[in-house]
Amino acid sequence: MAYELFYWPGIQGRGEFVRLALEAAGAPYVDVARERGAGRGVAALTAILEGRAAPFTPFAPPFLRDGEIIVSQVANILDYLAPKLGLAPRQEARRVFAHGLQLTITDLVAEVHDTHHPIATDLYYEDQKKEAKARAAAFLSERAPKYLGYFERVLADNPAGKAHAVGDKLTTVDLSLFQVRVGLAYAFPRAFAGADKLYPALAALAAKVAAQPNVAAYLASERRIPFNESGIFRHYPELDQAAAKAGRRKS
Ligand SMILES: N[C@@H](CCC(=O)N[C@@H](CS)C(=O)NCC(=O)O)C(=O)O
């Protein structure tokens, strides 16, 4: 039976980390809120948020339904899916480390979100623009280098080679790092213009993931929603500008 992914239609958002895993593995899945018909559409998603699958009610999308099982939280969904899709390391030590990396990516994604919504998720970006500028500058000068430097070190330290974050095969962590890399490049093209030189292993990993046949086919398909200013990675030139200035001050 096909997996059912529940996520807001029209954006890559956090759902994209799950889509990439399903697509890379060639797994059958339904992107429920993007479909029409009985049991499909946004109504099917909100029905579950409102308790239709109680007691297994998720707090927020994305969530995945696999028959009777409902899994919420990106890192938890990927932890559930990865072994079934052949995208998890086999050794326990590596699997646990991979999950830690996935949770670290969750933290990073929350910080990316906060660059455009530093005060309140429920307010418009336009209502928190001043704070967003300050937050984006701090993110780009301090936090992004710390996260990306960490992931670069993880790749360099991988005893199986720096082509993958963990072990010697593609995992959901590699796919998520690809999404982070391309998402940051979309949101902050000025700030990340020289990032490939600073983080060469991450750049090589992103290129390799993009070339994986199933991923390449997905990226070229209509199923890959273009980045836009409703998702996690948003391009607001004024935030990228602030970041470039902050970066210059530091050096
Ligand atoms: N930590 C959660 C975050 C989930 C989340 O924030 N989902 C967003 C969409 S990307 C949402 O709809 N949140 C509603 C809310 O927080 O009220 C995850 O990684 O899945």
Side-chain angles (χ1 to χ4, degrees), residues 178 181-182 196 200-212 215-216 219:
F178 157 78
R181 181 67 195 87
V182 296
D196 285 358
L202 196 54
L205 171 74
K208 199 178 157 112
V209 167
Q212 191 260 15
V215 175
L219 296 178

Side-chain angles (χ1 to χ4, degrees), residues 15-210:
E16 197 64 13
F17 295 94
V18 183
R19 285 195 194 102
L20 279 168
L22 292 163
E23 292 279 352
Y29 78 101
V30 179
D31 209 335
V32 175
R34 292 174 73 186
E35 302 275 328
R36 287 167 185 228
R40 302 287 182 248
V42 175
L45 183 159
T46 47
I48 291 182
L49 289 180
E50 285 161 10
R52 181 165 291 174
F56 303 114
T57 305
F59 176 72
F63 51 91
L64 181 91
R65 186 161 61 191
D66 179 15
E68 300 289 300
I69 297 176
I70 300 228
V71 197
S72 63
Q73 293 277 351
V74 171
N76 194 36
I77 298 169
L78 294 176
D79 193 48
Y80 173 80
L81 276 179
K84 300 181 195 309
L85 301 183
L87 292 170
R90 291 239 170 101
Q91 285 176 14
E92 187 181 26
R94 287 181 174 175
R95 202 165 37 73
V96 170
F97 183 58
H99 187 46
L101 290 172
Q102 202 66 61
L103 288 162
T104 307
I105 292 169
T106 297
D107 291 344
L108 167 56
V109 167
E111 293 196 35
V112 172
H113 168 272
D114 290 352
T115 61
H116 48 78
H117 279 78
I119 301 296
T121 301
D122 291 339
L123 287 178
Y124 289 112
Y125 163 65
E126 286 70 21
D127 297 330
Q128 45 194 317
K129 230 167 153 174
K130 187 166 157 269
E131 294 85 352
K133 276 192 182 179
R135 185 65 188 255
F139 171 76
L140 290 166
S141 63
E142 306 297 334
R143 301 297 288 169
K146 184 165 184 181
Y147 278 110
L148 298 187
Y150 169 71
F151 292 128
E152 185 73 15
R153 197 171 72 223
V154 166
L155 287 165
D157 287 350
N158 182 359
K162 57 185 173 189
H164 298 287
V166 188
D168 60 356
K169 290 193 183 63
L170 184 75
T171 67
T172 54
V173 176
D174 295 335
L175 295 164
S176 296
L177 288 176
F178 157 78
Q179 179 66 7
V180 163
R181 181 67 195 87
V182 296
L184 289 173
Y186 168 80
F188 305 107
R190 285 190 61 179
F192 283 90
D196 285 358
K197 278 196 188 131
L198 284 174
Y199 313 109
L202 196 54
L205 171 74
K208 199 178 157 112
V209 167

